[in-house]
């Protein structure tokens, strides 16, 4: 029986190649994900080790030790204080066993290119800044020029210098938290910092300048201590701790810090790996259908052979073993090839994910024994499990079946049981999803329920697919019969001949398209909601803001209003007030001009009624708080630091809630003292008709031309609302593309097997006058009918699941409504048609090339 299994594998190479491809692609996704996770984790660990190379002790402020990291202060001029000062650096340097001390100051500096626009902000990558430390212990190496040594000098990393168009000697414009500054470029460096290598910018200053910009003179954010050879790191750490003040500084050994960073890396990369493995699981699940379908058809074709083996003494157990050995060999060979292909996928994943600004570091591929063994085991187990049911069917073939047809219909009782189970599973899934559709504002609680309902619905439809195939394919057959005549009718009959096989083939495509459709509907609906929120109630032509929390100077609106072509420049800020009705977010603005850039629907009162001590509130807040026009809010700051702790604000109007205006709207003078920065958050600009040309540059120039300035047109604000969703959709499509590709292989496989089974029939059709073109057309139409059946089932299921789960999205997007993107759905249906045509190319050519006489004589 073992020799028979080996012979069957070698004898049916053409039949099994598509099955092997399905296993190969699924395993490639699994192995690629595992290798990618190991590679990324290793690259992060290596970066952490490199940053701590030779470092025995690290002294940090609590903020840096907690992972937040130092940053520019929110209010310009109010520099933070640090317990790490020059005196402490000298004391540590004088300790026995200390070879060197490396004190650093860290912050953010946004560099403007020669075109005036900021560098590296398009992908959200950070703009890092620190003090330049020369010597062998530095993380940077000079590529050109020298290190900055005076207040008017700086250095840039090579990538930033190239993007900004700067050369040694040029004046570089940058900003910390306010107006643009200019310093001379004296050096270009390279670094082993993975953030910089992944696209972040790095600006270097001399230590004194860095302290003035980001901290205070004589203070540091971190002190790295390098030990002399033979010094015990633990003992040195204790010595350093003894020098530290009681509060404000922490000392950690380099080994412990590296372990902490490694643990954080493992957690972060583990989450990403699990998410990618979920998509790999989908691909393998679809592949299992193809494997089971292939073995079912192979066993049907070899039923006489198996029956004869039974007649000469083979037991049922031996038949099962023979099929499972065949499946094991197939799975093993395909899994090994899939693992090799997975290495290519692992290499491609890093640049793909970095397109989102993730900043994953580069590193050599790490091929662990677990990744290799896991990939092989998964591939073999999936293949064997998928072949188990067909093997049991093979074992039940009686010896007398050697003289019967090779394509017997399944027992009626088995079909009835299958249909009942399918109806129960589908009904349970639909009921669960209908229950999910009634949930409100419970995203965490309903997510698992929705996943269960989706899985039950899809599983039920898979089981029920043979029953559904008859009416849907019959309907499609009417179209093919009318358009293509005899070949269209033959295609329909061929598709209906074995409903189980057709259903299994279509189910693989259905799963992929159901997921893609659901993702498309949810994504487009979310995008529409985000755009609506960005657009609702806002009529400004430009939105001017600061890319940091520092805000805009209160005079910004006045300076913009003076520009030619500006009809109105409306200042706005936000403050969170502690009132007798709880915490209330209040927008402060100029009520006399706010109506020119924003549209509010007042239920009572108007913008004209708002003034000092007088506010308008949203109808939603008014209803919850039980207030109306004439009510009084006693408001104060959260910490009680403002003199107007119990300022009285009288409600003079109620407006319909909009995403662009907070719960309450008051004057700038009432709200600005309570804001975090005492600065403006935005300036809304309305432009006179036909005056937009060049206005963005004029606005930037009026506000000091700082690279921190963000001047967004109305269209850009709307695009930003839905731009992130587009990026996520593209990535998800790419990950689900593997599942759809495997589905295509399933259609090819089924058609190839079908052509083999119908060899005599095709010969007879040729004998009675159907030419080669007609044969090709018949096979192509059969493929299209099966693909359309799977597409209709998948698209319909995806729409239902997206609609039922819409309440989860509406919990975070108030304007979320299910939107059916008819254009995208039409593309998916067209894709199914294309899949049908492409999948039939090889089977159709093979059918057309069959010798007429030999086909008629075949058994």
């Amino acid at each position: 029986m073992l020799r028979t299994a080996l012979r069957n594998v070698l004898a049916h190479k053409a039949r099994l190649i598509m099955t092997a491809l399905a296993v190969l692609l699924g395993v490639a996704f699994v192995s690629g994900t595992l290798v990618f996770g190991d590679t990324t984790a290793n690259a992060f660990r290596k970066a952490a080790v490199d940053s701590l190379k030779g470092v025995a002790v690290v002294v940090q402020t609590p903020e840096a030790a907690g992972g937040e990291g130092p940053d520019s202060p929110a209010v310009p001029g109010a520099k933070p204080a640090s317990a790490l000062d020059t005196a402490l650096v000298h004391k540590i340097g004088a300790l026995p066993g200390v070879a060197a001390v490396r004190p650093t100051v860290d912050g953010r500096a946004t560099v403007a290119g020669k075109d005036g626009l900021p560098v590296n902000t398009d992908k959200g990558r950070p703009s890092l800044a620190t003090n330049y430390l020369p010597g062998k212990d530095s993380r940077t190496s000079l590529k050109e020029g020298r290190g900055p040594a005076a207040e008017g000098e700086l250095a840039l990393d090579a990538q930033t210098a190239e993007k900004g168009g700067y050369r040694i000697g040029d004046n570089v414009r940058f900003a910390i938290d306010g107006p643009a500054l200019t310093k001379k470029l004296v050096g270009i460096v390279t670094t082993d910092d993975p953030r910089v290598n992944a696209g972040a910018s790095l600006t270097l200053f001399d230590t004194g300048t860095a302290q003035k910009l980001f901290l205070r003179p004589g203070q540091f954010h971190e002190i790295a201590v390098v030990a002399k050879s033979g010094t015990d790191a633990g003992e040195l750490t204790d010595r350093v701790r003894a020098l530290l003040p009681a509060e404000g500084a922490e000392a950690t050994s380099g080994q412990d810090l590296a372990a902490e960073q490694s643990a954080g890396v493992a957690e972060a990369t583990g989450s990403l790996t699990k998410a990618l493995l979920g998509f790999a699981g989908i691909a393998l699940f679809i592949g299992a259908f193809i494997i089971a379908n292939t073995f079912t058809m192979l066993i049907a074709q070899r039923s006489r052979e198996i029956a004869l083996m039974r007649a000469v003494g083979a037991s049922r157990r031996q038949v099962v073993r023979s099929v499972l050995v065949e499946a094991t060999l197939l799975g093993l060979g395909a899994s090994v090839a899939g693992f090799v292909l997975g290495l290519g996928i692992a290499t491609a994943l890093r640049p793909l994910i970095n397109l989102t600004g993730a900043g994953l570091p580069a590193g050599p591929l790490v091929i662990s024994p677990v990744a290799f063994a896991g990939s092989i085991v998964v591939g073999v187990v999936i293949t064997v499990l998928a072949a188990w049911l067909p093997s049991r069917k093979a074992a039940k073939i009686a010896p007398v079946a050697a003289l019967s047809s090779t394509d017997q219909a399944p027992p009626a009782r088995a079909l009835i049981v299958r249909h009942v189970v399918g109806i129960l599973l589908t009904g349970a899934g639909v009921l669960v999803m209908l229950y999910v559709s009634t949930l409100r504002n419970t995203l965490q609680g309903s997510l698992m329920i929705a996943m269960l309902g989706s899985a039950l619905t899809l599983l039920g439809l898979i089981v029920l697919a043979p029953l559904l195939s008859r009416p849907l394919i019959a309907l499609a057959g009417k179209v093919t019969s009318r358009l293509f005549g005899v070949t269209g009718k033959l295609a329909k009959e061929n598709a209906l001949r074995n409903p189980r096989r057709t259903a299994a083939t279509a189910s693989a495509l259905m799963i992929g398209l159901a997921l893609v459709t659901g993702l498309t509907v949810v994504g487009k609906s979310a995008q529409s909601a985000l755009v609506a929120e960005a657009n609702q109630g806002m009529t400004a032509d430009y939105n001017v803001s600061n890319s940091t929390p520092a805000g805009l100077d209160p005079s910004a609106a006045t300076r913009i209003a003076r520009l030619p072509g500006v009809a109105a420049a409306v200042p706005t800020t936000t403050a969170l007030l502690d009132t007798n009705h709880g915490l209330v977010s209040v927008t402060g603005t100029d009520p006399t001009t706010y109506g020119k850039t924003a549209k509010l629907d007042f239920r009572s009162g108007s913008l004209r009624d708002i003034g000092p001590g007088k506010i308008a509130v949203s109808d939603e807040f008014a209803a919850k708080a039980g207030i109306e026009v004439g009510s009084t809010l006693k408001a104060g700051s959260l910490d009680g630091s403002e003199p107007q702790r119990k300022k009285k604000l009288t409600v003079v109007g109620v407006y319909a809630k909009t995403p662009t205006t907070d719960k309450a709207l008051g004057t700038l003078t009432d709200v600005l003292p309570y804001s975090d920065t005492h600065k403006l958050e935005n300036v809304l600009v309305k432009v006179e008709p036909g005056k937009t040309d060049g206005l963005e540059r004029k606005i930037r120039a009026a506000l000091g031309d700082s690279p921190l300035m963000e001047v967004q047109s109305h269209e850009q604000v709307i695009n930003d609302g839905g731009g992130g969703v587009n990026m996520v959709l593209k990535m998800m499509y790419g990950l689900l593309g593997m599942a759809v590709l495997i589905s295509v292989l399933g259609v090819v496989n089924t058609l190839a097997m079908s052509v083999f089974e119908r060899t005599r029939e095709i010969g007879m059709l040729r004998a009675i006058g159907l030419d080669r073109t007609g044969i090709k057309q018949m096979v192509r139409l059969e493929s299209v009918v099966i693909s359309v059946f799977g597409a209709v089932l998948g698209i319909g299921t995806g729409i239902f699941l997206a609609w039922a789960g819409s309440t989860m999205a509406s919990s975070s997007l108030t304007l979320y409504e299910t939107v059916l993107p008819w254009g995208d759905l039409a593309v998916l249906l067209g894709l199914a048609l294309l899949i049908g045509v492409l999948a039939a190319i090889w089977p159709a050519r093979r059918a057309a090339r069959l010798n007429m006489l030999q086909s008629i004589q075949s058994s």
Side-chain angles (χ1 to χ4, degrees):
M1 296 302 294
L2 179 60
R3 287 197 299 268
T4 301
L6 292 172
R7 179 183 62 81
N8 286 332
V9 171
L10 297 175
H12 303 295
K13 294 187 290 291
R15 304 182 198 176
L16 294 178
I17 189 169
M18 294 302 169
T19 306
L21 281 174
V23 179
L24 183 150
L25 290 174
V27 171
F29 211 153
V30 172
S31 65
T33 299
L34 292 175
V35 172
F36 168 75
D38 291 339
T39 300
T40 302
N42 180 71
F44 273 116
R45 282 193 294 267
K46 184 178 182 300
V49 169
D50 289 344
S51 67
L52 297 171
K53 187 176 181 180
V55 175
V57 187
V58 177
V59 182
Q60 299 173 307
T61 58
E63 293 80 10
E68 296 298 327
D71 205 345
S72 301
V75 181
K79 304 298 181 185
S82 173
L84 312 184
D85 54 19
T86 304
L88 180 61
V89 171
H90 291 322
K91 290 178 182 178
I92 294 174
L95 287 173
V98 174
V101 180
R102 190 172 70 199
T104 56
V105 180
D106 298 310
R108 299 285 188 266
T110 302
V111 177
K114 285 195 172 182
D115 58 0
L117 300 177
V119 177
N120 283 353
T121 58
D122 54 331
K123 298 295 182 183
R125 296 184 174 114
S127 302
L128 308 176
T130 188
N131 57 316
Y132 175 72
L133 294 172
K136 63 179 182 179
D137 296 321
S138 176
R139 295 192 63 184
T140 58
S141 301
L142 279 171
K143 182 180 179 181
E144 296 180 47
R146 58 176 176 83
E151 186 172 356
E153 300 175 345
L154 58 75
L156 295 175
D157 69 280
Q159 284 188 114
T160 303
E162 182 180 356
K163 290 179 182 178
Y166 290 116
R167 295 182 179 180
I168 299 295
D170 290 343
N171 289 325
V172 178
R173 293 179 59 257
F174 67 96
I176 303 298
D177 53 21
L181 304 174
T182 302
K183 294 184 186 297
K184 184 178 179 180
L185 180 65
V186 297
I188 295 176
V189 303
T190 59
T191 178
D192 60 3
D193 191 325
R195 296 171 297 176
V196 178
N197 294 330
S201 65
L202 176 63
T203 307
L204 299 164
F205 306 95
D206 68 281
T207 299
T209 302
Q211 289 172 333
K212 290 179 182 178
L213 291 173
F214 307 117
L215 205 51
R216 294 181 181 180
Q219 295 184 346
F220 302 93
H221 287 119
E222 181 179 287
I223 302 173
V225 183
V226 180
K228 292 180 180 178
S229 178
T231 302
D232 183 86
E235 293 180 1
L236 184 57
T237 302
D238 292 337
R239 294 188 202 122
V240 172
R241 284 196 182 115
L243 296 177
L244 301 182
E247 296 181 357
E250 299 176 6
T252 309
S253 69
Q255 185 177 1
D256 290 343
L257 188 60
E260 290 177 11
Q261 292 179 351
S262 295
V265 166
E267 183 179 355
T269 56
S271 300
L272 178 60
T273 301
K274 288 177 183 178
L276 292 173
L277 282 175
F279 289 95
I282 294 171
L284 282 171
F285 183 67
I286 293 175
F289 278 93
I290 300 173
I291 298 165
N293 212 18
T294 300
F295 275 95
T296 299
M297 289 186 288
L298 285 174
I299 287 167
Q301 293 169 14
R302 287 163 27 203
S303 59
R304 289 190 178 185
E305 175 188 329
I306 294 172
L308 286 172
M309 292 170 59
R310 292 290 314 283
V312 297
S315 66
R316 291 187 175 184
R317 183 172 296 179
Q318 285 179 313
V319 172
V320 172
R321 286 177 181 173
S322 174
V323 175
L324 293 184
V325 166
E326 187 177 341
T328 301
L329 294 173
L330 173 69
L332 184 61
S335 297
V336 171
F339 181 81
V340 175
L341 178 61
L343 300 182
I345 293 176
T347 305
L349 275 175
R350 187 189 68 84
L352 175 65
I353 294 176
N354 274 346
L355 290 176
T356 65
L360 301 180
L365 285 179
V366 176
I367 305 174
S368 67
V370 173
F372 177 75
S375 302
I376 302 302
V377 169
V378 165
V380 173
V381 168
I382 289 292
T383 307
V384 171
L385 288 178
W388 180 66
L389 284 177
S391 71
R392 292 193 60 194
K393 181 180 178 182
K396 293 179 181 178
I397 298 176
V400 72
L403 301 177
S404 63
S405 171
T406 62
D407 192 10
Q408 298 175 354
R413 183 176 177 277
L415 286 176
I416 292 173
V417 171
R418 175 170 181 154
H419 294 161
V420 171
V421 172
I423 291 172
L424 291 176
L425 286 173
T426 305
V430 170
L431 288 175
V432 171
M433 292 308 297
L434 290 177
Y435 169 71
V436 170
S437 69
T438 64
L439 300 177
R440 293 291 183 271
N441 299 323
T442 55
L443 178 59
Q444 290 292 89
S446 59
L447 182 58
M448 295 304 296
I449 301 175
M451 292 176 65
L452 173 64
S454 300
L456 286 174
T457 303
L458 286 171
L459 187 59
L461 287 173
I462 291 168
V463 177
L464 205 57
L467 180 63
L468 298 174
S469 66
R470 292 189 177 277
L472 291 177
I473 289 180
L475 181 62
K478 290 183 178 180
V479 177
T480 58
S481 299
R482 176 164 297 185
L483 294 178
F484 301 97
V486 174
T487 55
K489 185 175 182 179
L490 288 172
K492 179 196 74 172
E493 297 298 330
N494 290 335
L496 290 173
R497 179 175 300 180
N498 193 327
R500 281 189 170 187
R501 181 189 307 165
T502 298
T505 305
S507 293
L509 188 60
M510 177 200 75
I511 296 169
L513 288 181
L515 295 173
V516 171
T517 300
L519 178 66
T520 301
V521 173
V522 171
K524 294 297 183 182
S525 299
Q527 187 179 42
S528 177
L530 290 169
V531 169
E533 287 189 1
N535 198 29
Q536 188 183 43
M538 187 60 61
T539 60
D541 296 307
Y542 286 98
N543 182 10
V544 183
S545 61
N546 197 319
S547 60
T548 72
L552 301 172
D553 189 270
S555 64
T558 303
R559 283 183 277 168
I560 295 175
R562 294 172 182 161
L563 295 175
V566 174
V570 184
T572 65
T573 194
T574 301
L576 191 62
L577 301 183
D578 185 9
T579 74
N580 52 325
H581 292 285
L583 298 180
V584 180
S585 180
V586 184
T587 297
T589 187
D590 179 3
T592 61
T593 57
Y594 191 66
K596 296 180 180 180
T597 57
K599 184 178 180 181
L600 289 179
D601 181 12
F602 274 84
R603 308 300 193 208
S604 59
S606 67
L607 280 171
R608 293 188 298 273
D609 298 323
I610 301 174
K614 300 177 181 179
I615 62 171
V617 297
S618 70
D619 52 0
E620 182 182 75
F621 172 62
K624 288 182 178 180
I627 58 179
E628 57 186 10
V629 172
S631 299
T632 300
L633 270 69
K634 295 181 180 180
S637 61
L638 299 181
D639 57 3
S641 60
E642 295 297 331
Q644 308 97 329
R645 174 164 173 72
K646 292 297 180 182
K647 184 179 182 67
K648 291 184 179 181
L649 299 173
T650 303
V651 177
V652 295
V654 178
Y655 54 84
K657 175 191 173 186
T658 69
T660 52
T661 306
D662 290 301
K663 292 180 179 179
L665 181 67
T667 63
L668 198 62
T669 54
D670 281 338
V671 178
L672 196 60
Y674 296 96
S675 67
D676 292 336
T677 62
H678 306 298
K679 296 290 187 70
L680 302 180
E681 288 186 6
N682 306 83
V683 176
L684 305 176
V685 181
K686 189 68 177 177
V687 183
E688 295 175 358
K691 301 291 185 178
T692 56
D693 289 347
L695 187 59
E696 178 182 348
R697 297 295 306 169
K698 294 177 182 177
I699 292 174
R700 287 183 175 277
L703 299 182
D705 210 11
S706 170
L708 298 176
M709 199 66 54
E710 291 186 349
V711 183
Q712 292 182 300
S713 67
H714 188 63
E715 292 75 16
Q716 288 173 326
V717 172
I718 292 175
N719 290 336
D720 282 354
V725 177
N726 269 336
M727 177 62 72
V728 173
L729 283 176
K730 289 176 182 177
M731 287 192 63
M732 300 286 267
Y733 288 153
L735 294 171
L736 287 173
M738 185 74 75
V740 176
L741 178 59
I742 294 175
S743 303
V744 175
L745 295 178
V747 179
V748 177
N749 217 14
T750 298
L751 290 173
M753 294 291 187
S754 180
V755 168
F756 177 84
E757 286 183 358
R758 302 201 308 267
T759 299
R760 176 182 287 184
E761 176 186 322
I762 292 172
M764 292 295 295
L765 290 172
R766 290 290 315 283
I768 62 175
L770 191 62
D771 59 12
R772 294 180 186 271
T773 302
I775 295 294
K776 288 182 180 179
Q777 189 176 76
M778 177 186 70
V779 176
R780 281 197 295 265
L781 290 175
E782 180 183 353
S783 176
V784 168
V785 166
I786 293 174
S787 298
V788 169
F789 167 56
V792 170
L793 210 56
I795 292 173
T797 303
I799 291 173
F800 169 73
L801 296 178
W803 169 81
S806 62
T807 52
M808 293 186 293
S810 62
S811 64
S812 55
L813 292 173
T814 55
L815 297 181
Y816 184 92
E817 292 183 358
T818 301
V819 175
L820 295 184
W822 295 109
D824 294 325
L825 297 180
V827 169
L828 290 178
L829 187 58
L831 177 64
L833 291 171
L834 181 62
I835 287 173
V837 173
L838 295 177
I841 292 176
W842 177 64
R845 292 187 64 185
R846 184 174 182 272
R849 289 179 177 180
L850 290 175
N851 183 279
M852 186 189 310
L853 295 178
Q854 291 178 354
S855 298
I856 294 173
Q857 293 173 358
S858 65
S859 58

